Amino acid sequence: MTAVGIDAVEVWTGNLKLDLAETFAPEKGDDPEKYTKGLGLRASSFPDSYEDIVTMGANAAKRLMDRKGLTPDDIGRIDVATESSFDNSKPISTYIAGCLEQVYDGDFHHANKGERKFACIAGTQSVDDAYNWIRAGRNRGRSAIVVATDTALYARGDAGEATQGAGAVALLISEDPDLVEISTHQGYGSADETDFLKPNQQFPSVDGKRSVQVYLARMREALEDYESVAGDVHIDDFVYAPFHTPFPGMVRKAAALAYRHVTRDTGVEEELAEGIGRQPRRESFDDDAQYEEAVREYMDALKETGRYQDWYAAAVDPTLSIARDVGNWYTASVHLARVSALKTALEADRDVTGESMLVASYGSGAQAEIHGETVQDGWAEEIAALNIDEQVADRYDLSWAEYEEVHDRHNHDMDSELEEFTAPEAEFVFDGWGRMGERKYTYVE
Ligand code: HMG
């Protein structure tokens, strides 16, 4: 069977930055370590006044097309995943295609375009759609561009305000991919949940604490479902485990639970038992409360073991390096986690060709999905071509008053004007409104 997967990836961050320790924490009267250590975040990316989900997505897609030497004729699909859309009918992929047509010869008139919505998991679902389209043999030799783009803004004062972010990831899905092959095995954990939603409103209604529990519950279901098709997962089977990362502290919780699950009844559990005992089993306890208390104690002890810490440092921590500085990018988040992991490998001069990754996506509302990927031999060249470090370093550092202004500028109910903080260069910008209320865009050299 021909390999299908991600041939190339490009990243675009919002051009502004909110520093959580220096700017956010003092304003809230909080200890900065609540953010840097507790949530695991140093800063969030923000969109400047001329940026939105279209500009960030189109900018990432343009970098992707330029780097791979693609023309519109090479692309048979443009799928956009977002939960920040400003249009309930016209998909964001048409706006992005319109932007790209301004700068390339030819057009995307024979490319299928759509928009996927299921909170943060829609990015992975769009990759699936493209994968299935190629597997079904309907691509006529062409590739798909998947763009995951979001402005993850919360209402001012919401507990989620510390976990905001803005950015886009563009992925090229092709046969014989250079970056990763995607396996056919998938596991799902999906249930009707009311933890995070936007019923015809821009900013989410969030039950933050519950959303954390729902994330963990759906992830566990997805892992069990994955194992039912792919066989038991062993902790040493994969080099990295990129998770959806609303904030790194969330992944810290999920990784520990996943570790407990996959090491149960294995030699790893037996080895650990000498120091911390075996994992509690429900049948050994009279009631749920006692069992849950024993699990909590086991988890606390597990996280202190060298064996767990070494695994976490090698397989999970590298997936969080970009998220720490940019926050939650919703649909793009897990795809940024994959980039972070491979970038860490490249920087450590480590060859991960042929290694597996276990990729864990999640969207509120709620659904988790887990699948395997195999790193392909063009990965190092692909990752070396990214300029994400420069993008992150070049962001304008907002003061608190400026942050308030930018938040208002992007609030759809406020209609506020604001001078830009940065000078756009070689990128698409929002350029005002058309006669039917459509947003308009221009490419700035
Ligand atoms: P909060 O109540 O402000 O924070 O909101 P907290 O009091 O829970 O503290 C956070 C952590 O910092 C805790 O760590 C504290 O102990 C620690 P934990 O105990 O949980 O491991 N802490 C400190 N650590 C060191 N030094 C200190 C200190 N102080 C406290 N001084 C909450 C946290 C996550 C609820 C909030 O940020 C929120 O509502 N976020 C938005 C929702 C969210 O991100 N949920 C995640 C799961 S759902 C998801 O991922 C989907 C999503 O991406 C949307 C989609 O799918 O579309 C959100």
Side-chain angles (χ1 to χ4, degrees):
M1 197 160 62
T2 317
V4 177
I6 304 172
D7 197 37
V9 60
E10 272 296 346
V11 182
W12 193 276
T13 177
N15 286 333
L16 307 179
K17 160 188 164 185
L18 175 65
D19 192 301
L20 293 171
E22 301 286 325
T23 311
F24 190 82
E27 199 61 40
K28 298 280 169 185
D30 284 334
D31 178 353
E33 294 201 338
K34 171 176 177 185
Y35 304 102
T36 53
K37 295 218 165 108
L39 295 179
L41 289 167
R42 285 187 285 259
S44 314
S45 280
F46 259 77
D48 206 337
S49 54
Y50 57 85
E51 294 186 288
D52 65 16
I53 50 173
V54 172
T55 64
M56 295 187 300
N59 288 325
K62 180 173 183 300
R63 277 187 61 90
L64 189 78
M65 289 188 62
D66 286 349
R67 183 154 70 72
K68 298 299 272 189
L70 298 169
T71 68
D73 284 346
D74 298 317
I75 305 301
R77 278 181 88 99
I78 303 179
D79 291 312
V80 170
T82 185
E83 54 173 296
S84 321
S85 187
F86 47 77
D87 195 317
N88 285 326
S89 174
K90 186 174 150 61
I92 295 303
S93 47
T94 60
Y95 287 94
I96 289 180
C99 286
L100 297 173
E101 284 170 354
Q102 291 180 32
V103 295
Y104 292 110
D105 291 336
D107 58 51
F108 296 96
H109 287 200
H110 302 298
N112 188 11
K113 306 180 190 91
E115 186 173 311
R116 262 282 192 174
K117 179 182 72 181
F118 193 151
C120 302
I121 203 173
T124 296
Q125 292 181 318
S126 294
V127 171
D128 267 5
D129 293 340
Y131 175 97
N132 294 337
W133 169 73
I134 294 174
R135 276 260 169 270
R138 304 175 101 177
N139 60 320
R140 297 186 243 154
R142 298 175 298 170
S143 300
I145 290 179
V146 168
V147 177
T149 180
D150 271 300
T151 46
L153 302 187
Y154 289 76
R156 301 281 320 284
D158 189 288
E161 198 179 1
T163 65
Q164 299 178 110
V169 171
L171 302 153
L172 188 70
I173 313 299
S174 306
E175 285 169 285
D176 293 324
D178 283 341
L179 192 65
V180 293
E181 176 184 1
I182 297 176
S183 101
T184 50
H185 295 140
Q186 288 179 299
Y188 289 101
S190 190
D192 177 10
E193 297 279 6
T194 311
D195 56 327
F196 172 111
L197 56 158
K198 302 177 188 170
N200 288 323
Q201 63 197 43
Q202 182 187 6
F203 303 132
S205 298
V206 197
D207 183 342
K209 304 280 186 230
R210 191 171 143 60
S211 75
V212 169
Q213 295 312 317
V214 175
Y215 178 118
L216 297 174
R218 302 287 79 81
M219 254 334 157
R220 180 205 170 109
E221 273 179 0
L223 184 55
E224 286 167 354
D225 192 42
Y226 176 75
E227 288 186 312
S228 77
V229 285
D232 284 351
V233 172
H234 190 273
I235 203 67
D236 298 325
D237 286 350
F238 48 91
V239 61
Y240 296 121
F243 281 84
H244 168 58
T245 310
F247 53 93
M250 180 73 245
V251 174
R252 204 168 53 220
K253 292 182 205 295
L257 289 177
Y259 190 92
R260 176 169 64 103
H261 177 90
V262 304
T263 56
R264 191 173 307 135
D265 295 324
T266 68
V268 176
E269 183 187 7
E270 293 312 320
E271 271 174 51
L272 286 168
E274 286 174 26
I276 62 170
R278 292 184 76 232
Q279 296 187 17
R281 286 1 190 222
R282 176 65 189 87
E283 57 276 14
S284 315
F285 294 86
D286 292 337
D287 58 44
D288 286 348
Q290 282 179 18
Y291 169 63
E292 280 158 21
E293 181 53 30
V295 168
R296 266 194 295 276
E297 281 172 17
Y298 181 84
M299 295 304 291
D300 288 345
L302 174 67
K303 285 185 259 178
E304 294 302 316
T305 63
R307 172 126 203 182
Y308 176 77
Q309 289 176 356
D310 289 349
W311 171 78
Y312 184 86
V316 181
D317 198 58
T319 70
L320 306 174
S321 59
I322 303 176
R324 281 188 212 294
D325 284 310
V326 303
N328 192 355
W329 286 10
Y330 285 163
T331 54
S333 160
V334 69
H335 306 291
L336 203 57
R338 181 195 292 106
V339 167
S340 297
L342 295 175
K343 187 167 164 294
T344 308
L346 187 70
E347 286 161 0
D349 209 11
R350 176 171 182 193
D351 187 6
V352 290
T353 308
E355 301 270 14
S356 299
M357 294 194 285
L358 199 67
V359 181
S361 303
Y362 178 76
S364 284
Q367 181 162 301
E369 187 261 10
I370 291 182
H371 70 262
E373 295 182 357
T374 309
V375 182
Q376 302 296 288
D377 54 14
W379 73 274
E381 202 180 319
E382 288 303 319
I383 297 298
L386 298 174
N387 71 344
I388 180 64
D389 287 343
E390 289 85 342
Q391 289 187 37
V392 166
D394 286 352
R395 292 172 303 173
Y396 176 87
D397 192 0
L398 293 164
S399 68
W400 181 257
E402 289 167 341
Y403 160 68
E404 291 184 305
E405 287 177 335
V406 178
H407 200 287
D408 288 352
R409 168 70 184 79
H410 290 287
N411 183 335
H412 296 168
D413 294 332
M414 290 189 79
D415 195 24
S416 73
E417 291 300 320
L418 183 66
E419 283 290 307
E420 56 262 25
F421 293 97
T422 55
E425 195 186 325
E427 63 193 274
F428 294 101
V429 298
F430 168 66
D431 193 25
W433 303 90
R435 73 182 172 92
M436 291 176 72
E438 76 276 22
R439 293 171 75 91
K440 300 187 70 87
Y441 300 93
T442 313
Y443 188 74
V444 173
E445 293 293 344

